[in-house]
Amino acid sequence: MNRAQELARSAAEAAEVRAHLAHPDVVALGIERVRRQVDWMCWSGIVLGLAFTMTNVQQFAAGSAAAWSLRWMAAWVLDPTVSLVLLAILRAEQVTARYRVATGVWVRRAKWFTLAATYVMNTWESFVARDVAAVVLHSVPPLVVFAAAEAITDLRDKLTEAVIAASTVGGPVVNAEVHEVGARSRKLFADYLADARAAWSPGVEVTPAWVREVSGCSRGLSSRLARALADEVRA
């Protein structure tokens, strides 16, 4: 086998591997793995942050109560009460974000209230004592939890979009000739052009914005469609 034949064979093998790697199911599976990693890391950070705040909240609630007194023991219940509500909301949002279901305003209010309550109980004594170092120390964990709780929902939503894009248009590189409508049907360049052609009438200026409006195509495809229809109209 000469050098040219070896290169041809290597090129064929590389093309086959690339075709498999670009397969929508393979791409979607890779994104799902990333989603699991993101979930695991975010949940670990949130749980560890809430665990750090537990002692501070207990001291805040117990005040000057003697150790092992009824008030002292009851103070240990306060932080888990708030944290469990927050974790329940985040767990529910994990499912709703995956299936693109919007939650009500009270869900967001409850999440913000539990986070704000945790922050206040963690930092109150430090603010009263005007201890800047303690304020910073006790502010970081609840603020990290707050940021992670807000970010994780958006991350799940975007990862869901990535999975849908991978499973419908064949991966991150989208063919300009094909635009996905929904999760099941595909609309070709010719179909969009036919819609625009049917909507056009004499005197209408063919622009990408007009094409997007009448055909529902993407911004990237509208320029090509506008040029193609304009050429037809001029002809």
Side-chain angles (χ1 to χ4, degrees):
M1 181 180 295
N2 58 33
R3 179 63 174 167
Q5 291 174 328
E6 290 181 358
L7 290 174
R9 179 181 176 183
S10 298
E13 291 177 353
E16 184 178 359
V17 171
R18 185 167 178 246
H20 287 299
L21 291 176
H23 190 280
D25 291 337
V26 176
V27 176
L29 179 61
I31 297 173
E32 287 290 350
R33 289 173 178 168
V34 173
R35 183 206 297 276
R36 287 196 295 270
Q37 294 171 358
V38 170
D39 278 342
W40 181 84
M41 288 185 283
C42 282
W43 275 107
S44 298
I46 289 172
V47 171
L48 290 174
L50 292 175
F52 179 87
T53 66
M54 185 178 296
T55 303
N56 300 326
V57 173
Q58 192 275 341
Q59 293 175 352
F60 171 80
S64 58
W68 303 106
S69 64
L70 184 60
R71 179 183 173 185
W72 185 89
M73 290 187 293
W76 283 105
V77 180
L78 179 57
D79 185 75
T81 300
V82 177
S83 297
L84 284 174
V85 173
L86 173 61
L87 292 175
I89 294 171
L90 296 178
R91 183 67 182 93
E93 285 186 336
Q94 186 177 24
V95 178
T96 57
R98 182 181 182 87
Y99 295 102
R100 318 295 294 278
V101 177
T103 55
V105 65
W106 277 104
V107 174
R108 193 169 188 84
R109 289 176 180 174
K111 181 168 66 173
W112 282 23
F113 176 78
T114 53
L115 291 166
T118 301
Y119 178 80
V120 171
M121 290 186 294
N122 264 272
T123 58
W124 182 264
E125 292 183 352
S126 300
F127 276 113
V128 171
R130 297 183 180 180
D131 187 342
V132 177
V135 169
V136 173
L137 175 64
H138 297 308
S139 293
V140 170
L143 290 178
V144 168
V145 171
F146 178 84
E150 287 296 308
I152 192 172
T153 302
D154 188 53
L155 285 174
R156 291 189 191 113
D157 184 63
K158 297 306 179 185
L159 286 171
T160 298
E161 287 186 8
V163 171
I164 293 174
S167 62
T168 56
V169 298
V173 180
V174 181
N175 189 338
E177 295 286 339
V178 180
H179 182 74
E180 191 68 20
V181 179
R184 298 180 180 177
S185 61
R186 289 188 175 183
K187 198 169 182 180
L188 302 178
F189 181 89
D191 298 326
Y192 283 114
L193 183 58
D195 290 344
R197 186 186 299 117
W200 181 83
S201 60
V204 173
E205 182 183 1
V206 179
T207 63
W210 177 83
V211 171
R212 289 196 300 272
E213 181 181 352
V214 298
S215 68
C217 69
S218 66
R219 182 178 296 273
L221 198 59
S222 63
S223 298
R224 292 189 57 204
L225 286 167
R227 286 196 300 269
L229 183 58
D231 290 341
E232 289 186 8
V233 171
R234 285 193 296 269

Coordinates of all heavy atoms in Angstrom, one line a residue, residues 73-122:
M73 N -31.2 23.2 72.2 CA -31.4 22.1 71.3 C -32.4 22.4 70.2 O -32.2 22.0 69.0 CB -31.9 20.9 72.1 CG -30.9 20.2 73.0 SD -31.4 18.7 73.8 CE -32.7 19.3 74.9
A74 N -33.4 23.2 70.6 CA -34.4 23.6 69.5 C -33.8 24.5 68.5 O -34.2 24.5 67.3 CB -35.6 24.4 70.2
A75 N -32.7 25.3 68.9 CA -32.0 26.1 67.9 C -31.4 25.4 66.8 O -31.2 25.9 65.7 CB -31.0 27.0 68.6
W76 N -31.1 24.1 67.0 CA -30.5 23.3 65.9 C -31.5 23.0 64.8 O -31.1 22.6 63.7 CB -29.9 22.0 66.4 CG -28.6 22.1 67.1 CD1 -28.4 22.1 68.5 CD2 -27.4 22.4 66.5 NE1 -27.1 22.3 68.8 CE2 -26.4 22.5 67.6 CE3 -26.9 22.5 65.2 CZ2 -25.0 22.7 67.3 CZ3 -25.6 22.7 65.0 CH2 -24.7 22.8 66.0
V77 N -32.8 23.1 65.1 CA -33.8 22.8 64.1 C -34.0 23.9 63.1 O -34.5 23.7 62.0 CB -35.2 22.5 64.9 CG1 -36.3 22.1 63.9 CG2 -34.9 21.4 65.9
L78 N -33.7 25.2 63.5 CA -34.0 26.3 62.7 C -33.4 26.3 61.3 O -34.0 26.4 60.3 CB -33.6 27.6 63.4 CG -33.9 28.9 62.6 CD1 -35.4 29.0 62.3 CD2 -33.4 30.1 63.5
D79 N -32.1 26.0 61.3 CA -31.4 26.1 60.0 C -31.8 24.9 59.1 O -32.1 25.2 57.9 CB -29.9 26.0 60.2 CG -29.1 26.1 58.9 OD1 -29.0 27.2 58.4 OD2 -28.6 25.1 58.4
P80 N -31.9 23.7 59.6 CA -32.5 22.6 58.7 C -33.9 22.9 58.2 O -34.2 22.5 57.0 CB -32.5 21.4 59.6 CG -31.4 21.6 60.6 CD -31.5 23.1 60.9
T81 N -34.7 23.6 58.9 CA -36.0 23.9 58.5 C -36.0 24.8 57.2 O -36.6 24.6 56.2 CB -36.8 24.7 59.6 OG1 -36.9 23.8 60.7 CG2 -38.2 25.0 59.1
V82 N -35.1 25.8 57.3 CA -35.0 26.8 56.2 C -34.3 26.1 55.0 O -34.7 26.2 53.8 CB -34.2 28.0 56.6 CG1 -34.0 28.9 55.4 CG2 -34.9 28.7 57.7
S83 N -33.3 25.3 55.3 CA -32.5 24.6 54.3 C -33.3 23.6 53.5 O -33.2 23.5 52.3 CB -31.2 24.0 54.8 OG -30.4 25.0 55.4
L84 N -34.1 22.8 54.2 CA -34.9 21.8 53.6 C -35.9 22.4 52.6 O -36.2 21.9 51.5 CB -35.6 20.9 54.6 CG -34.7 19.9 55.3 CD1 -35.5 19.2 56.4 CD2 -34.2 18.9 54.4
V85 N -36.5 23.5 53.0 CA -37.4 24.2 52.1 C -36.7 24.7 50.8 O -37.2 24.5 49.7 CB -38.1 25.4 52.8 CG1 -39.0 26.2 51.8 CG2 -39.0 24.9 53.9
L86 N -35.5 25.3 51.0 CA -34.7 25.7 49.9 C -34.3 24.5 49.0 O -34.4 24.6 47.7 CB -33.5 26.4 50.4 CG -32.4 26.8 49.3 CD1 -33.1 27.8 48.3 CD2 -31.2 27.5 49.9
L87 N -33.9 23.4 49.6 CA -33.5 22.3 48.8 C -34.6 21.7 48.0 O -34.5 21.2 46.9 CB -32.8 21.2 49.7 CG -31.5 21.6 50.3 CD1 -31.0 20.6 51.3 CD2 -30.4 21.8 49.2
A88 N -35.8 21.7 48.6 CA -37.0 21.2 48.0 C -37.3 22.0 46.7 O -37.7 21.5 45.7 CB -38.2 21.2 48.9
I89 N -37.2 23.3 46.8 CA -37.5 24.2 45.7 C -36.5 24.0 44.6 O -36.8 23.8 43.4 CB -37.5 25.7 46.2 CG1 -38.6 26.0 47.1 CG2 -37.5 26.6 45.0 CD1 -38.5 27.3 47.8
L90 N -35.2 23.9 45.0 CA -34.2 23.6 44.0 C -34.3 22.3 43.3 O -34.1 22.1 42.1 CB -32.8 23.7 44.6 CG -32.4 25.1 45.2 CD1 -31.0 25.1 45.8 CD2 -32.4 26.2 44.1
R91 N -34.7 21.3 44.1 CA -34.9 19.9 43.5 C -36.1 20.0 42.5 O -36.0 19.3 41.4 CB -35.2 18.9 44.6 CG -35.4 17.5 44.1 CD -34.1 17.0 43.5 NE -34.2 15.6 43.0 CZ -34.5 15.3 41.8 NH1 -34.6 16.3 40.9 NH2 -34.6 14.0 41.4
A92 N -37.1 20.7 42.8 CA -38.3 20.8 41.9 C -37.9 21.5 40.6 O -38.3 21.2 39.5 CB -39.5 21.5 42.6
E93 N -37.1 22.6 40.8 CA -36.7 23.4 39.7 C -35.7 22.6 38.8 O -35.7 22.8 37.6 CB -35.9 24.7 40.1 CG -36.9 25.7 40.6 CD -36.2 27.0 40.9 OE1 -34.9 27.0 41.2 OE2 -36.8 28.1 40.9
Q94 N -35.1 21.6 39.3 CA -34.2 20.7 38.5 C -35.0 20.0 37.5 O -34.6 19.8 36.4 CB -33.5 19.7 39.4 CG -32.5 18.9 38.7 CD -31.7 18.0 39.7 OE1 -32.2 17.6 40.8 NE2 -30.5 17.5 39.3
V95 N -36.3 19.6 37.9 CA -37.1 18.9 36.9 C -37.8 19.8 36.0 O -37.9 19.6 34.8 CB -38.2 18.0 37.7 CG1 -39.1 17.3 36.8 CG2 -37.5 17.0 38.6
T96 N -38.4 20.9 36.5 CA -39.1 21.9 35.7 C -38.2 22.5 34.6 O -38.6 22.7 33.5 CB -39.8 23.0 36.5 OG1 -38.7 23.7 37.3 CG2 -40.8 22.4 37.5
A97 N -36.9 22.8 35.0 CA -36.0 23.4 34.0 C -35.7 22.4 33.0 O -35.5 22.7 31.8 CB -34.7 23.8 34.7
R98 N -35.6 21.1 33.3 CA -35.3 20.1 32.3 C -36.3 20.0 31.2 O -36.0 19.8 30.1 CB -35.1 18.7 33.0 CG -34.7 17.6 32.1 CD -34.6 16.3 32.8 NE -34.2 15.2 31.9 CZ -32.9 14.9 31.6 NH1 -32.0 15.6 32.1 NH2 -32.7 13.9 30.8
Y99 N -37.6 20.2 31.6 CA -38.7 20.0 30.7 C -39.3 21.4 30.3 O -40.4 21.4 29.8 CB -39.8 19.1 31.3 CG -39.3 17.7 31.5 CD1 -38.9 17.2 32.7 CD2 -39.2 16.8 30.4 CE1 -38.5 15.9 32.9 CE2 -38.7 15.5 30.5 CZ -38.4 15.1 31.8 OH -37.9 13.8 32.0
R100 N -38.6 22.5 30.6 CA -38.9 23.8 30.1 C -40.3 24.2 30.6 O -41.1 24.8 29.9 CB -38.9 23.9 28.6 CG -37.7 23.2 28.0 CD -36.4 23.8 28.3 NE -36.3 25.2 27.8 CZ -36.0 25.4 26.5 NH1 -35.7 24.4 25.7 NH2 -35.9 26.6 26.1
V101 N -40.6 23.9 31.9 CA -41.9 24.3 32.5 C -41.6 25.5 33.4 O -40.8 25.4 34.3 CB -42.5 23.1 33.3 CG1 -43.8 23.6 34.0 CG2 -42.7 21.9 32.4
A102 N -42.3 26.6 33.2 CA -42.2 27.8 34.0 C -42.8 27.6 35.4 O -43.9 27.0 35.5 CB -42.7 29.0 33.3
T103 N -42.2 28.1 36.4 CA -42.7 28.0 37.8 C -43.4 29.4 38.1 O -43.1 30.4 37.5 CB -41.6 27.7 38.8 OG1 -40.6 28.6 38.7 CG2 -41.1 26.3 38.6
G104 N -44.2 29.4 39.2 CA -44.9 30.6 39.6 C -44.0 31.5 40.3 O -42.9 31.2 40.7
V105 N -44.6 32.7 40.6 CA -43.8 33.8 41.2 C -43.5 33.4 42.7 O -42.5 33.8 43.2 CB -44.6 35.1 41.1 CG1 -45.9 35.0 41.9 CG2 -43.7 36.3 41.7
W106 N -44.4 32.6 43.3 CA -44.2 32.3 44.7 C -43.0 31.3 44.9 O -42.4 31.3 46.0 CB -45.5 31.7 45.3 CG -46.4 32.8 45.8 CD1 -47.6 33.2 45.2 CD2 -46.2 33.6 46.9 NE1 -48.1 34.2 45.9 CE2 -47.4 34.5 47.0 CE3 -45.3 33.7 47.9 CZ2 -47.5 35.4 48.0 CZ3 -45.5 34.6 48.9 CH2 -46.5 35.5 49.0
V107 N -42.7 30.6 43.9 CA -41.5 29.7 44.0 C -40.3 30.5 44.1 O -39.4 30.3 44.9 CB -41.5 28.8 42.7 CG1 -40.2 28.0 42.7 CG2 -42.7 27.8 42.7
R108 N -40.2 31.5 43.2 CA -39.0 32.4 43.3 C -39.0 33.2 44.6 O -37.9 33.4 45.2 CB -39.0 33.4 42.1 CG -37.7 34.1 41.9 CD -37.7 34.8 40.5 NE -36.4 35.4 40.2 CZ -35.4 34.7 39.7 NH1 -35.6 33.4 39.4 NH2 -34.2 35.2 39.4
R109 N -40.1 33.7 45.0 CA -40.2 34.4 46.3 C -39.7 33.5 47.5 O -39.0 34.0 48.4 CB -41.6 34.9 46.5 CG -42.0 36.1 45.6 CD -43.4 36.5 45.9 NE -43.8 37.6 45.0 CZ -45.1 38.1 44.9 NH1 -46.0 37.5 45.7 NH2 -45.3 39.1 44.1
A110 N -40.2 32.3 47.5 CA -39.8 31.4 48.6 C -38.3 31.1 48.6 O -37.7 31.0 49.6 CB -40.6 30.1 48.4
K111 N -37.8 30.9 47.4 CA -36.3 30.7 47.3 C -35.6 31.9 47.8 O -34.6 31.7 48.5 CB -36.0 30.4 45.8 CG -34.5 30.1 45.6 CD -34.2 29.5 44.2 CE -34.5 30.5 43.1 NZ -34.1 30.0 41.8
W112 N -35.9 33.1 47.4 CA -35.2 34.3 47.8 C -35.4 34.5 49.3 O -34.5 34.9 50.0 CB -35.7 35.5 47.0 CG -35.1 35.6 45.6 CD1 -34.6 34.5 44.9 CD2 -35.0 36.8 44.8 NE1 -34.2 35.0 43.7 CE2 -34.4 36.4 43.6 CE3 -35.3 38.1 45.0 CZ2 -34.1 37.3 42.6 CZ3 -35.0 39.0 44.0 CH2 -34.4 38.6 42.8
F113 N -36.6 34.2 49.8 CA -36.8 34.4 51.3 C -35.9 33.5 52.1 O -35.3 33.9 53.1 CB -38.3 34.2 51.6 CG -38.6 34.3 53.1 CD1 -38.7 35.5 53.7 CD2 -38.7 33.1 53.8 CE1 -38.9 35.6 55.0 CE2 -39.0 33.2 55.2 CZ -39.1 34.5 55.8
T114 N -35.9 32.2 51.7 CA -35.1 31.3 52.5 C -33.6 31.6 52.4 O -32.9 31.5 53.4 CB -35.3 29.8 51.9 OG1 -35.0 29.8 50.5 CG2 -36.7 29.3 52.2
L115 N -33.1 32.1 51.2 CA -31.7 32.5 51.1 C -31.5 33.8 51.9 O -30.4 33.9 52.6 CB -31.4 32.7 49.6 CG -31.4 31.5 48.7 CD1 -31.3 31.9 47.3 CD2 -30.1 30.6 49.1
A116 N -32.4 34.7 51.9 CA -32.2 35.9 52.6 C -32.2 35.7 54.1 O -31.4 36.2 54.9 CB -33.3 36.9 52.3
A117 N -33.1 34.8 54.6 CA -33.2 34.4 56.0 C -31.9 33.8 56.4 O -31.4 34.1 57.5 CB -34.4 33.5 56.2
T118 N -31.4 32.9 55.6 CA -30.1 32.2 56.0 C -29.0 33.3 56.1 O -28.1 33.2 57.0 CB -29.7 31.2 54.9 OG1 -30.7 30.2 54.9 CG2 -28.4 30.5 55.3
Y119 N -28.9 34.2 55.1 CA -27.9 35.2 55.2 C -28.0 36.1 56.4 O -27.0 36.4 57.1 CB -28.0 36.1 53.9 CG -26.9 37.2 53.9 CD1 -25.6 37.0 53.5 CD2 -27.3 38.5 54.3 CE1 -24.7 38.0 53.5 CE2 -26.3 39.5 54.3 CZ -25.0 39.2 53.9 OH -24.1 40.2 54.0
V120 N -29.2 36.6 56.7 CA -29.4 37.5 57.9 C -29.0 36.8 59.2 O -28.3 37.3 60.0 CB -30.9 38.0 57.9 CG1 -31.1 38.7 59.2 CG2 -31.2 38.9 56.7
M121 N -29.5 35.5 59.3 CA -29.2 34.8 60.6 C -27.7 34.5 60.7 O -27.1 34.4 61.8 CB -30.0 33.5 60.7 CG -31.5 33.8 60.9 SD -32.4 32.2 61.1 CE -32.2 31.4 59.5
N122 N -27.0 34.4 59.6 CA -25.5 34.1 59.6 C -24.7 35.3 60.0 O -23.7 35.2 60.6 CB -25.1 33.5 58.3 CG -25.1 32.0 58.3 OD1 -24.1 31.4 58.6 ND2 -26.2 31.4 57.9

